[in-house]
Amino acid sequence: MDKQRSSFTGKLGFVLTAAGSAVGLGNIWRFPYLAAKYGGGIFLLVYLILAVTFGFTLMAAEIAIGRKTGLSAVGAFQKLDKRFAWVGYLGAIVPMIITPYYSVIGGWVTKYFFVFASGGAEKAAGKTYFDDYIAETAEPILWFLVFVGLTALIVFFGVDKGIEKVSKVMMPVLVLMTVFIAVYIICMPGAMDGVLYYITPDFSKFSIQTVLAAMGQLFYSMSIAMGILITYGSYMKKDVNLESSVHQIEIFDTGIAFLAGLMIVPSVFVFSGGDEEALGKGAGLMFETLPKVFNSMTGGGIVGAAFFLMVFFAALTSSISLMETVVSFLGDRFGWGRKPACLAVFAFCVLLGLPSSLGYGVLDFIRIGSNTILDMFDFLANSIIMPIVAFMTSIFVGWILKPKALVDEIELTGTFKAKKLFTVIIKYIAPVCIVLILVSSLLDAFGIVTI
Ligand code: PHE
């Protein structure tokens, strides 16, 4: 590689870009519904523990691999050890699985923005509005196509930098709105039960599924185990402090997820009774509860429209970076031009997204347990492939490459404060725990052994 690799201007540029891609539907849509479903405080606790241990270590490792090699995932693994190139390929599959269904949810967000913007707050707060809507055939598909089409157009013309600028303005607004809505909801009668449920760990609700769900969410939210951070690392300058960048991205990403939960979980208690069925709603939780919150506010129609617009931008920047990853993978590996690659990825996303969308309507009969087609794609990416990639990455760094190689890379800008933690986790704790979590929860999920 003799071509000069362009790089981020500095630490702020790096952190903002990584955070921009990290913060998305994972934080606002996915984290709260998992927290609600998996026991509230106990999920939060497990998530936080995993974030400061696994999350920190794997994120630092991936960025360091990228910066050390100056290459994206497949090339980086290939350069360091040919036998591990397949880990790069496996990681590259993740965004291919996620982008289609991510766009289906993006379509729901877009629809909700238009409903609120056209004065439909009361309608959207109706008891069965969301379930009725996603069970339809044509309309959810239409909004899905709008969302994925827009993503593809932006990637096709390579104008994502412009969108990123817009979204950097949107992000603080989104954070402020989330704080505002959370405060509003916490002040409502009955909300305290929800707050307590969300922040007090109830150890009787602990299960191995909680840990797997938290781990999958961690990878998803921080864009770990899909090669993306390796690519970002390859653009990071050598004089940028890697360790503190990772801390900042983590704090930012986790902070927003926490706030989103603080807004949504208590709402479930205030408006839907907070029973197990309401909390276990899954993918539809945000769409079902927030309209009720907005509808109860004076001027809630505007607040709702503004909120869904912000979420739309957060989702769009993430879907752009997901699609971009697939497009550049096809370019790097198979020499495809940007435009044909983009068209192919678009077609692929439509093909895979359609069943996810229809899985709530005409294809509703295709379920594993209560899991819809969308849930199955989500499970495959987050709870199976990503843990495998994370496991292989830690084996590779811990035992083949040796942690020292990455510690040296991280220490280019001074001492690596968490060096010991990093080394112990990547060598022993991560591989052992990931295997235990993965195997036991799969056995559990398929009803072979119940833990
Ligand atoms: N981390 C993003 C989210 O939380 C999803 C994403 C993954 C975006 C990978 C880009 C790349 O929504």
Side-chain angles (χ1 to χ4, degrees), residues 2-234:
D2 45 13
K3 247 195 300 164
Q4 178 84 37
R5 211 171 168 87
S6 65
S7 48
F8 295 111
T9 29
K11 185 170 174 205
L12 189 66
F14 178 78
V15 171
L16 281 179
T17 308
S21 125
V23 175
L25 292 174
N27 310 62
I28 298 154
W29 157 75
R30 202 170 185 276
F31 182 87
Y33 90 68
L34 290 178
K37 184 170 167 180
Y38 289 101
I42 189 71
F43 180 86
L44 188 63
L45 180 69
V46 171
Y47 185 86
L48 291 177
I49 293 174
L50 289 177
V52 295
T53 52
F54 284 21
F56 168 76
T57 304
L58 287 163
M59 188 183 256
E62 288 194 18
I63 298 177
I65 290 177
R67 191 168 76 174
K68 186 177 164 60
T69 56
L71 297 169
S72 37
V74 176
F77 276 110
Q78 214 151 35
K79 181 169 171 184
L80 296 170
D81 190 323
K82 279 215 161 44
R83 294 168 300 170
F84 280 79
W86 67 272
V87 181
Y89 283 107
L90 194 61
I93 293 177
V94 174
M96 297 189 197
I97 300 175
I98 293 183
T99 319
Y101 83 78
Y102 202 88
S103 305
V104 172
I105 316 286
W108 295 353
V109 173
T110 320
K111 154 83 181 175
Y112 269 62
F113 163 68
F114 278 101
V115 170
F116 275 89
S118 56
E122 200 178 327
K123 188 172 67 176
K127 205 168 184 304
T128 59
Y129 182 80
F130 176 74
D131 285 336
D132 292 345
Y133 170 66
I134 54 170
E136 279 175 38
T137 301
E139 217 195 316
I141 289 182
L142 184 85
W143 290 113
F144 154 64
L145 290 176
V146 167
F147 189 88
V148 72
L150 196 60
T151 307
L153 266 180
I154 294 166
V155 174
F156 188 87
F157 289 109
V159 290
D160 34 322
K161 291 285 161 293
I163 302 296
E164 262 166 33
K165 284 210 183 91
V166 180
S167 87
K168 270 170 206 159
V169 181
M170 300 285 179
M171 192 103 76
V173 182
L174 176 65
V175 176
L176 287 178
M177 286 196 77
T178 311
V179 172
F180 167 77
I181 300 166
V183 171
Y184 171 84
I185 191 78
I186 290 171
C187 293
M188 292 190 89
M192 259 316 140
D193 290 342
V195 175
L196 288 178
Y197 174 79
Y198 182 52
I199 59 172
T200 329
D202 172 354
F203 289 91
S204 71
K205 293 210 166 73
F206 180 86
S207 77
I208 194 74
Q209 297 302 344
T210 310
V211 188
L212 182 72
M215 187 170 75
Q217 171 61 18
L218 177 75
F219 295 161
Y220 185 93
S221 188
M222 295 193 181
S223 322
I224 294 170
M226 46 180 115
I228 288 183
L229 290 172
I230 301 187
T231 308
Y232 280 178
S234 73

Side-chain angles (χ1 to χ4, degrees), residues 329-344:
F329 170 76
L330 293 175
D332 283 358
R333 279 296 105 193
F334 306 108
W336 290 27
R338 176 179 197 85
K339 297 200 165 160
C342 186
L343 287 176

